[in-house]
Amino acid sequence: RWLTCKPLPPGALGRIADTIADRLRVPWFSGAVRVNVSLAPPLLLLPVFLHLAALHFLLGLVVLTSLPVVVLWYYYLTHRRKERTLFFLSLGLFSLAYMYYVFLREVVPRGHVEYSQVVLLTCGLILMLAALSRAKKDPGYLPIPAGNEKPSQQGLPNKSVRGSSGGLLGVSGAASSRAVNGEAKGYCRLSSEQPEGVKKDWCTKCQLVRPARAGHCRLCGRCVRRLDHHCVWINSCVGEQNHQAFILALSFFMLTSVYGITLTLHTICRGRSVFVALLYCPGAYSDYSSALSFTCVWYCAIVTAGMGYILLIQLLNISYNVTEREARLALRDNTGRRLLGGLVIDTGQYNRGLLCNWGHFLSLGASPPQRSAEDIV
């Protein structure tokens, strides 16, 4: 029908794609294992595109310009369909592995990189992967009631919930005994009362009472304590339990990537500074090895710029004690202030100053102090 330009029944292409994805399996001892289709494009296309870009300067310009566009288009497509995908995680991990492989194969043999520098770069990569592994763990999911039974909503107050700096008061059995608003004692004591308008929230999908600053992720289908956002690069939510590891992974990636770019440019464009060599390196396309290294440097620079922007936004949000989710809600309801040219949205609810905000962030996930009966009363 497609070849003869005849119309297809509604949903035919989707059913065909689902069938192909289901039949794509690898034989194994315990039975055929299904292969996630989203893992294949990065593994197959990334080396092809980078080697193609190394053939000529104009090809490199076209490929390196189109790659971010394709990635953004795929992100928009999956985000609109509310789908989880391993594409971005596999793209990030395979990019790291392939860049490291090109560095060892094409740059190190030139003899301008010392052994200690290779060890330092490898250690940075290992630390980044360790932080990423920690960020992939439980972000702070709220426990689902046993049997998915809807707990009683009787007695839920309509007024703001009052509590100490350790968090909100304990709610139903669906909530954990942790500080439910993530407010643990840090470098200073926060206000003993929650800001006006902060209420316990009932999640109709998870059938539980959400503490303040918690949110429901429509991709994971779970409520997360102090939900910041769902990160497609780790295919998981960023919440109370893994936010610190997420920032650590981004920081290690930035340091390692910038260091690797610097070592490569000093090798293939000797005698020039990093910024000059990145824009003007006459001998980069003199041989294929240099051209491939230079293409990978530009690819790393594009990815590093994108991750650097994400890290900058995260650091600003931490400094104002606001999450990405809260910033989006504040923009939607027109209740926040745009600061620093719109880079950060200050909701004013949890901002207690730079030191207190960072103290609160560094204490995320820590067990709250035990409160006496008098404090609860």
Side-chain angles (χ1 to χ4, degrees):
R1 284 177 175 268
W2 178 69
L3 291 175
T4 57
C5 299
K6 293 181 180 180
L8 292 174
L13 292 179
R15 291 192 296 270
I16 293 173
D18 292 339
T19 303
I20 295 176
D22 181 68
R23 298 297 185 269
L24 187 61
R25 296 173 181 266
V26 175
W28 199 246
F29 298 103
S30 58
V33 179
R34 182 177 176 180
V35 179
N36 196 311
V37 181
S38 60
L39 295 175
L43 300 179
L44 299 177
L45 298 180
L46 182 62
V48 173
F49 283 153
L50 290 179
H51 281 275
L52 182 65
L55 294 176
H56 194 272
F57 170 74
L58 294 179
L59 283 175
L61 184 62
V62 172
V63 171
L64 294 177
T65 303
S66 59
L67 276 178
V69 176
V70 173
V71 172
L72 291 175
W73 170 80
Y74 188 74
Y75 168 76
Y76 170 77
L77 185 64
T78 55
H79 184 74
R80 185 182 62 179
R81 295 180 178 178
K82 302 178 183 179
E83 296 177 352
R84 296 189 67 180
T85 175
L86 293 174
F87 173 82
F88 299 98
L89 178 60
S90 62
L91 176 62
L93 292 178
F94 185 67
S95 296
L96 287 173
Y98 193 71
M99 296 304 105
Y100 186 68
Y101 167 77
V102 171
F103 179 78
L104 295 180
R105 181 181 176 86
E106 306 294 345
V107 179
V108 174
R110 293 174 179 265
H112 301 294
V113 179
E114 299 179 1
Y115 177 76
S116 58
Q117 294 175 323
V118 177
V119 172
L120 186 60
L121 183 68
T122 305
C123 290
L125 186 62
I126 294 174
L127 290 175
M128 191 278 296
L129 292 176
L132 181 62
S133 176
R134 175 61 186 86
K136 282 284 295 175
K137 295 183 179 180
D138 181 15
Y141 292 122
L142 289 173
I144 299 178
N148 199 26
E149 296 178 356
K150 184 176 180 180
S152 174
Q153 298 186 52
Q154 295 179 357
L156 291 182
N158 294 324
K159 295 183 180 181
S160 301
V161 182
R162 301 177 60 180
S164 70
S165 61
L168 296 175
L169 299 180
V171 289
S172 67
S176 172
S177 62
R178 287 183 178 274
V180 292
N181 65 345
E183 301 288 346
K185 287 185 179 181
Y187 289 97
C188 63
R189 181 179 178 85
L190 300 181
S191 174
S192 61
E193 295 190 3
Q194 294 297 327
E196 184 178 356
V198 176
K199 303 177 182 178
K200 291 187 293 186
D201 187 17
W202 174 258
C203 179
T204 58
K205 295 182 179 180
C206 295
Q207 299 291 291
L208 52 78
V209 179
R210 292 187 303 205
R213 309 195 79 176
H216 183 87
C217 176
R218 62 181 183 178
L219 297 179
C220 296
R222 295 286 298 275
C223 285
V224 181
R225 294 184 181 277
R226 197 184 178 275
L227 175 62
D228 189 84
H229 69 289
H230 182 93
C231 181
V232 297
W233 292 105
I234 64 173
N235 194 33
S236 177
C237 290
V238 176
E240 180 180 279
Q241 297 295 324
N242 67 342
H243 201 170
Q244 296 173 352
F246 178 73
I247 296 297
L248 199 60
L250 282 177
S251 301
F252 278 128
F253 171 80
M254 291 294 298
L255 294 175
T256 305
S257 179
V258 171
Y259 187 62
I261 290 174
T262 302
L263 292 178
T264 305
L265 289 178
H266 283 168
T267 300
I268 62 178
C269 302
R270 297 189 62 81
R272 299 178 184 273
S273 63
V274 175
F275 294 103
V276 174
L278 190 62
L279 299 175
Y280 181 69
C281 185
Y285 286 87
S286 59
D287 59 273
Y288 188 76
S289 176
S290 298
L292 180 60
S293 302
F294 188 72
T295 302
C296 290
V297 162
W298 258 105
Y299 176 74
C300 288
I302 293 174
V303 175
T304 303
M307 294 301 169
Y309 176 78
I310 295 176
L311 179 60
L312 174 62
I313 297 299
Q314 286 289 314
L315 295 179
L316 291 176
N317 286 343
I318 294 171
S319 300
Y320 286 90
N321 201 359
V322 63
T323 64
E324 281 292 317
R325 175 177 176 270
E326 292 167 349
R328 289 195 299 266
L329 293 177
L331 285 177
R332 184 193 67 184
D333 301 334
N334 197 23
T335 58
R337 296 185 304 152
R338 291 179 177 269
L339 302 175
L340 303 178
L343 290 177
V344 64
I345 306 298
D346 183 16
T347 61
Q349 286 184 306
Y350 302 99
N351 188 2
R352 299 295 184 270
L354 181 65
L355 293 180
C356 288
N357 293 340
W358 274 96
H360 164 237
F361 174 76
L362 295 176
S363 64
L364 285 179
S367 299
Q370 298 292 334
R371 298 185 311 182
S372 64
E374 294 181 357
D375 190 18
I376 296 177
V377 173

